[in-house]
Amino acid sequence: MNTATPTIVPAAELGVGTGRTRRFIGAEHDAAVSYFFVDNEPGQGPDLHRHPYPETWVVLEGEARITIGDVVLHAVPGDTATGPANVWHGFKNSGTSRLRVLCIHASDRIIQEWQDAPGVLDIPSAGN
């Protein structure tokens, strides 16, 4: 039985750097999932990377070009896509306005490897 008192995690506590992206690490909040809330300008978005678990994207605003392995998808508000574990993937804002995407990681930690910078990164232990 979980005895933790439910709380709100303010958006201001989840900010990453000076941008509008927010990062939620589930293990820090007694949750089984983690996520990035991404808010990008046209052309922005993460390059190819992979995780040892699936990642699901929910487009909230704007347009995204999502690459999963050899497949390229075009997503608009309300669309959802999932990339399987250990497959290179990434996305870019392919529209003319801001892109807001919820990137759900099926893990209580965010573990990723960038294609152009090999080496697994466990974000909570990386001091980020």
Side-chain angles (χ1 to χ4, degrees), residues 1-31:
M1 173 186 244
N2 184 348
T3 59
T5 301
T7 62
I8 296 292
V9 180
E13 291 183 14
L14 300 175
V16 177
T18 60
R20 295 182 302 259
T21 294
R22 298 190 301 262
R23 176 180 58 223
F24 176 87
I25 304 295
E28 296 173 1
H29 303 282
D30 222 10

Side-chain angles (χ1 to χ4, degrees), residues 48 57 65-74 81-82 84 87-90:
L48 293 176
W57 304 275
R65 184 184 69 250
I66 302 171
T67 302
I68 304 170
D70 294 333
V71 176
V72 178
L73 306 170
H74 179 255
T82 298
V87 173
W88 296 109
H89 62 269

Side-chain angles (χ1 to χ4, degrees), residues 7-63:
T7 62
I8 296 292
V9 180
E13 291 183 14
L14 300 175
V16 177
T18 60
R20 295 182 302 259
T21 294
R22 298 190 301 262
R23 176 180 58 223
F24 176 87
I25 304 295
E28 296 173 1
H29 303 282
D30 222 10
V33 298
S34 300
Y35 71 81
F36 282 101
F37 172 85
V38 177
D39 187 343
N40 286 152
E41 296 296 330
Q44 294 180 328
D47 292 329
L48 293 176
H49 61 284
R50 63 184 174 186
H51 313 283
Y53 49 78
E55 181 176 5
T56 298
W57 304 275
V58 180
V59 177
L60 305 172
E61 180 181 329
E63 297 181 48

Side-chain angles (χ1 to χ4, degrees), residues 71-126:
V71 176
V72 178
L73 306 170
H74 179 255
V76 297
D79 289 349
T80 300
T82 298
N86 299 308
V87 173
W88 296 109
H89 62 269
F91 64 87
K92 299 290 182 197
N93 180 342
S94 59
T96 58
S97 61
R98 286 166 62 175
L99 170 67
R100 296 173 59 173
V101 174
L102 185 60
C103 309
I104 305 165
H105 292 242
S107 172
D108 68 349
R109 301 171 12 225
I110 296 175
I111 303 165
Q112 63 189 28
E113 180 178 17
W114 295 97
Q115 189 177 53
D116 62 356
V120 175
L121 174 64
D122 181 344
I123 289 181
S125 68

